Amino acid sequence: MFFFFVGGVNQQVSRVLKSGAGRCINCGSTADLVEYEKVLKAFFVPVWKWPAKEPALFCNNCNLLFPSSLPPPVSDVSKCRFCDRLAEPDFSFCPYCGSAL
């Protein structure tokens, strides 16, 4: 006799506490401070939910949920907000499109 179990634990946002509270550690866009809950799913159906211990930051751009205690990433390059290309941090203007960094 074979038994297959399809299930797992997911994290989902339950409530936004503060919009634009930080920066995403993955893509650098704004992230919201949220309360989230962990959900046990069996055969893709939510079975049990329980709240997380502390709030976290959630990126709306890449859907990453990460702890608010992590420091923001320190990068040695900056990204142009108009053409999204990388430029050196000491540049005042983008070398590709000419806009101010």
Side-chain angles (χ1 to χ4, degrees):
M1 183 166 121
F2 292 101
F3 178 72
F4 293 101
F5 176 75
V6 179
V9 177
N10 291 345
Q11 297 173 342
Q12 68 184 33
V13 174
S14 60
R15 188 171 70 130
V16 176
L17 299 175
K18 184 177 179 186
S19 183
R23 290 272 177 203
C24 178
I25 60 173
N26 188 29
C27 67
S29 64
T30 59
D32 300 334
L33 185 65
V34 297
E35 285 182 347
Y36 67 99
E37 53 192 17
K38 297 179 181 183
V39 181
L40 175 66
K41 293 184 179 183
F43 298 102
F44 308 105
V45 177
V47 176
W48 188 39
K49 294 181 181 181
W50 66 96
K53 293 182 180 178
E54 61 184 45
L57 291 171
F58 177 73
C59 177
N60 293 320
N61 188 30
C62 64
N63 294 330
L64 180 68
L65 186 69
F66 57 97
S68 58
S69 60
L70 286 177
V74 177
S75 65
D76 54 349
V77 294
S78 60
K79 188 185 247 188
C80 177
R81 63 178 180 241
F82 295 104
C83 67
D84 287 334
R85 291 189 176 177
L86 299 178
E88 296 296 322
D90 54 339
F91 287 176
S92 298
F93 297 94
C94 177
Y96 301 102
C97 68
S99 63
L101 295 176

